[in-house]
Amino acid sequence: MTPLVYVFEEQARDLLSQTGDVRLVDGVAYGFDDWTVFHAYTEKPYFTPSGFICPCVAIRSDAAGFVDEEKLMAEVRRRVDPDGRPIVVLVTGTGAGGSPSCRALILTENGIAGADTRFVPRRSELFTRNTGLLETSALAEKKVVIVGLGSGGSPIALELARAGIGHFTLIDFDRLELGNISRHVCGVNDLGRYKTLAVRDQLLQKNPFAEVSTMEVNVNQSLSQVEDAVAASDLLIVASDNDQSRFNLNQMSLNNNKVALYGRAITRAAGGDVLRVRPWKGPCYNCIFSSGLIDGREEEMSQKRQALAVLPAYVEEDKINTMIQVGLSSDIAPIANMMTKMALVELSRGIETGMSTVDEDLASDFYVWANRREEAYANWPRMGFKWTHPSILRWYGARVDRDPNCLVCGGHLEQEPTT
Ligand SMILES: [Zn+2]
């Protein structure tokens, strides 16, 4: 097949906008599938790229002295030692309507071959298929803070990037371990990396123009730093795995009048729950926690760190390992999906979109997901063909009110922010 070269339109534009006599520019390319597909960059890639690295040289078609292809190739060969690899040569120019054009040539020991080129377009074209359901330009301005980038938080982050959310702050101090891979959006390529940085790269793959900042901190030990991020955001998403962080984040959400979403899976992901906190308008995390609604719903334990926090110090390794009981990625997916939908509803509030009817349906602030007839659902009837009784694989909205005696939000009405 004719080799295919992908080029970021934005980078080609930058190259063309440089003034003066721009001669050869050193870039970098990554090749795939026996050097038939290349991703070429004239500047630093937006994210950690994949593929086999090979040299890339770019030139503006109006640069003096290189009109002759043979001359150009001779210059490229003098400049780069390909070490047996192909060299991707990009010749950029201005096409019809002032938009950039790009021609690619692949230089190997056997000679020069022409390649097809494709531009990776600018932001506005990436999300055209969301039109009608979401207001893309408004979402590009929204800022989301996500705490916890594990099996729950990472797919939510990715879905929001797919929807065109433009600004993210990712907070987690964990690194990706082998045991995480089967349930995480990141793979073996990212082993050992901070989950924040690995997920950032995944988000940038979906939306190269998103702004993603990361904080590799423990929320409970970096309160003011995290609160600054929450204060600057439009929405807080909490997918962390411990109550202390949820209580701290609940306080920050109330202090700064920011809507927060909390989600978790119960043991082996037999079910889960999702809470939306609309500060001072509905129940806060503490109202729910003290309401008895989540009594008997043991949280899933997916990390050794969680088990160590509740077990005495002398417990043997085997016991710790048996406490780690996780569900499958497909069991976590409905919970992450619900949180994503609720996030899009919150971020689209006030804008006429396809999310408006979903907003009307989501009247409750607290939802319970029944996933499998185990744990809290062990005695439920089988789903069968009836839809008149409770069954698994459904969401249930609970009527929950703000607790006037809540130690966090009750009796503090006089402190309610006015903005
Ligand atoms: Zn409360």
Side-chain angles (χ1 to χ4, degrees):
M1 71 174 260
T2 310
L4 182 58
V5 178
Y6 281 89
V7 179
F8 274 83
E9 188 180 346
E10 202 85 346
Q11 296 198 343
R13 244 177 237 279
D14 285 350
L15 182 64
L16 290 169
S17 69
Q18 288 174 29
T19 50
D21 182 18
V22 180
R23 310 286 284 189
L24 294 180
V25 172
D26 289 313
V28 62
Y30 296 84
F32 303 85
D33 307 343
D34 283 337
W35 306 117
T36 52
V37 176
F38 298 87
H39 297 173
Y41 303 87
T42 57
E43 298 166 24
K44 186 170 174 284
Y46 294 97
F47 43 81
T48 310
S50 58
F52 295 97
I53 195 164
C54 62
C56 167
V57 173
I59 185 176
R60 255 172 34 184
S61 60
D62 59 354
F66 288 123
V67 275
D68 184 303
E69 200 166 87
E70 285 299 320
K71 226 174 180 179
L72 168 62
M73 293 305 163
E75 182 70 18
V76 169
R77 283 192 200 281
R78 261 199 301 279
R79 189 179 179 94
V80 181
D81 173 16
D83 195 20
R85 300 164 299 174
I87 306 171
V88 179
V89 182
L90 302 176
V91 183
T92 59
T94 307
S99 56
S101 68
C102 188
R103 195 159 59 92
L105 300 160
I106 309 297
L107 188 56
T108 63
E109 286 163 355
N110 302 326
I112 308 164
D116 291 332
T117 53
R118 302 252 200 292
F119 273 130
V120 179
R122 288 156 71 91
R123 174 205 326 241
S124 56
E125 291 160 58
L126 277 172
F127 300 104
T128 46
R129 295 196 179 177
N130 293 344
T131 309
L133 277 175
L134 298 169
E135 179 49 56
T136 311
S137 58
L139 292 183
E141 302 303 317
K142 297 290 183 182
K143 299 188 178 80
V144 179
V145 171
I146 304 179
V147 180
L149 275 305
S151 55
S154 64
I156 297 170
L158 198 58
E159 284 302 323
L160 293 178
R162 282 176 164 138
I165 303 299
H167 303 264
F168 294 85
T169 301
L170 308 178
I171 306 178
D172 198 319
F173 63 92
D174 257 353
R175 290 175 182 272
L176 200 69
E177 292 171 21
L178 208 51
N180 304 135
I181 299 290
S182 66
R183 307 200 310 161
H184 202 272
V185 299
C186 297
V188 178
N189 268 357
D190 291 311
L191 274 176
R193 297 182 67 195
Y194 278 117
K195 289 176 180 175
T196 48
L197 299 178
V199 171
R200 178 197 60 188
D201 283 348
Q202 295 287 324
L203 301 191
L204 294 178
Q205 296 263 357
K206 290 293 172 194
N207 181 359
F209 306 103
E211 220 173 70
V212 187
S213 58
T214 68
M215 291 164 62
E216 292 69 39
V217 298
N218 182 337
V219 168
N220 304 320
Q221 291 160 11
S222 305
L223 294 175
S224 66
Q225 199 185 345
V226 173
E227 184 149 8
D228 286 347
V230 172
S233 74
D234 294 296
L235 179 69
L236 168 63
I237 295 177
V238 183
S240 60
D241 61 11
N242 66 87
D243 271 324
Q244 196 190 349
S245 66
R246 291 187 204 118
F247 278 113
N248 281 326
L249 292 161
N250 182 49
Q251 192 65 59
M252 290 178 203
S253 130
L254 295 175
N255 291 350
N256 295 282
N257 213 10
K258 301 292 178 185
V259 175
L261 301 175
Y262 298 80
R264 51 174 214 151
I266 61 172
T267 300
R268 281 171 30 103
D273 40 62
V274 173
L275 168 67
R276 171 180 59 193
V277 172
R278 294 170 301 141
W280 317 104
K281 295 191 179 83
C284 79
Y285 184 77
N286 187 61
C287 293
I288 295 293
F289 199 80
S290 53
S291 68
L293 263 175
I294 55 175
D295 288 355
R297 295 172 62 80
E298 287 294 327
E299 185 165 344
E300 177 187 282
M301 216 166 261
S302 59
Q303 305 277 359
K304 197 170 171 181
R305 174 169 42 77
Q306 285 169 281
L308 290 173
V310 296
L311 290 171
Y314 52 81
V315 169
E316 290 161 6
E317 188 84 9
D318 282 0
K319 169 84 175 155
I320 296 169
N321 289 335
T322 56
M323 283 195 71
I324 301 175
Q325 296 200 358
V326 298
L328 300 172
S329 170
S330 56
D331 294 322
I332 305 295
I335 303 164
N337 190 36
M338 182 68 158
M339 291 181 75
T340 304
K341 278 188 201 303
M342 292 176 90
L344 291 175
V345 165
E346 290 307 318
L347 295 167
S348 303
R349 198 173 287 292
I351 312 164
E352 192 55 43
T353 65
M355 301 311 289
S356 306
T357 61
V358 185
D359 190 15
E360 289 162 17
D361 286 316
L362 294 175
S364 171
D365 285 317
F366 186 65
Y367 292 89
V368 167
W369 169 249
N371 193 47
R372 216 181 307 115
R373 285 189 301 114
E374 278 181 22
E375 303 284 331
Y377 313 113
N379 298 319
W380 279 30
R382 292 185 190 184
M383 181 157 72
F385 300 100
K386 291 181 186 163
W387 49 272
T388 50
H389 56 60
S391 84
I392 58 157
L393 300 181
R394 286 182 193 160
W395 282 102
Y396 297 90
R399 189 175 288 279
V400 283
D401 293 314
R402 196 171 151 198
D403 176 4
N405 299 315
C406 171
L407 292 173
V408 179
C409 77
H412 287 62
L413 288 173
E414 69 281 4
Q415 292 176 18
E416 185 173 328
T418 50
T419 52

